[in-house]
Amino acid sequence: MPVPDVMFCAQQIHVPPELPNIMKQFTKAAIRTQPRDILQWSYGYFSALSKGEPLPVKDRVEMQVATQKNDTGLTPGLLKVLHKQLSKKETLSLQELQTKWKNLCLPVEQLHYLLRLDHFGDEVPWIKFFALGCSALCGSLMSSMKQACEILTEDPEGGAARIPYEAFAFLYSYLAGLDEEIPEAETESFLSALKEQVARKDYMVGVADFSGNRRD
């Protein structure tokens, strides 16, 4: 079949005026996030963009996944991305969590491991899963709480990393309750003392308020 005798020129190709900026922002986001699978991540990026949802984009470039503790694939930056995407719902479907996890190119084995820690079913309370994510990153209870404060805080970067006492108490109690070596009475005593300590600070807990009471 002969090739159609058609000539194209730049004037015949319509380029949407917003396309250059979209591609510029996409490229910058990919560089900051450094996804393992650029195609899978791109699907998640443009899907979220089309729905007006928070994008699967890190605030800044992190160290390579292979250098993270335990080589889980999960990083503080990725957990913060998941929090931005999923925290608006107190409880989310397992399918939605799996989709967001997959779009960040995180290993499915890690997701299954975290879900088994509390025997989650088809519905997952986000704040509990978030707590387990902090624990997976840090190991010890106090280090996990420090990580949680740094992700949840509305303080400027490098500040006190404060969060409301009630939020801190819930996360601490939940993680401590999963550790058979921490007596319930010890948890209650620690939280009671901390509550008195931060009463003069509008019940806001910062990293410095508990960092001297590590239970590693």
Side-chain angles (χ1 to χ4, degrees):
M1 178 180 296
V3 178
D5 187 18
V6 179
M7 296 294 291
F8 290 96
C9 62
Q11 289 75 14
Q12 292 176 292
I13 302 175
H14 173 67
V15 178
E18 64 272 19
L19 181 60
N21 186 58
I22 290 175
M23 297 310 299
K24 178 180 179 181
Q25 296 305 318
F26 166 76
T27 302
K28 291 167 65 176
I31 292 172
R32 287 204 306 274
T33 307
Q34 299 284 304
R36 285 182 172 182
D37 184 337
I38 188 66
L39 294 179
Q40 180 64 50
W41 177 81
S42 298
Y43 169 80
Y45 179 92
F46 285 109
S47 177
L49 184 64
S50 68
K51 298 174 184 177
E53 299 175 348
L55 301 175
V57 181
K58 292 180 183 179
D59 292 339
R60 62 189 58 80
V61 176
E62 291 184 291
M63 66 180 71
Q64 292 297 318
V65 170
T67 65
Q68 294 294 323
K69 184 177 180 180
N70 299 328
D71 193 21
T72 62
L74 188 64
T75 68
L78 292 175
L79 184 57
K80 187 172 184 179
V81 169
L82 285 171
H83 183 69
K84 289 180 179 178
Q85 293 185 308
L86 299 172
S87 61
K88 289 184 178 180
K89 297 181 180 179
E90 291 186 5
T91 302
L92 57 143
S93 69
L94 176 58
Q95 182 179 3
E96 184 176 6
L97 175 58
Q98 290 173 328
T99 297
K100 298 300 185 184
W101 187 273
K102 180 179 179 181
N103 288 340
L104 285 174
C105 312
L106 289 166
V108 66
E109 295 83 5
Q110 175 73 358
L111 174 60
H112 291 165
Y113 169 76
L114 292 175
L115 292 171
R116 287 195 298 269
L117 292 176
D118 196 16
H119 310 287
F120 294 119
D122 293 333
E123 299 292 323
V124 181
W126 168 249
I127 197 63
K128 290 186 176 181
F129 186 85
F130 169 79
L132 294 175
C134 291
S135 180
L137 287 171
C138 302
S140 72
L141 177 56
M142 287 304 182
S143 295
S144 300
M145 293 308 303
K146 178 176 182 292
Q147 185 68 76
C149 287
E150 290 175 348
I151 292 177
L152 297 177
T153 188
E154 296 183 0
D155 288 339
E157 185 175 358
R162 298 167 302 168
I163 65 173
Y165 170 81
E166 293 300 328
F168 181 95
F170 178 86
L171 292 170
Y172 185 94
S173 297
Y174 174 68
L175 290 178
L178 295 176
D179 190 335
E180 297 179 353
E181 296 184 0
I182 302 179
E184 183 177 350
E186 181 179 321
T187 298
E188 293 176 353
S189 176
F190 170 78
L191 290 176
S192 178
L194 181 63
K195 187 174 184 178
E196 292 182 8
Q197 179 181 336
V198 301
R200 295 185 298 275
K201 303 178 183 179
D202 297 324
Y203 293 98
M204 296 292 288
V205 180
V207 172
D209 294 316
F210 64 88
S211 59
N213 300 302
R214 292 188 178 278
R215 196 186 198 285
D216 294 323

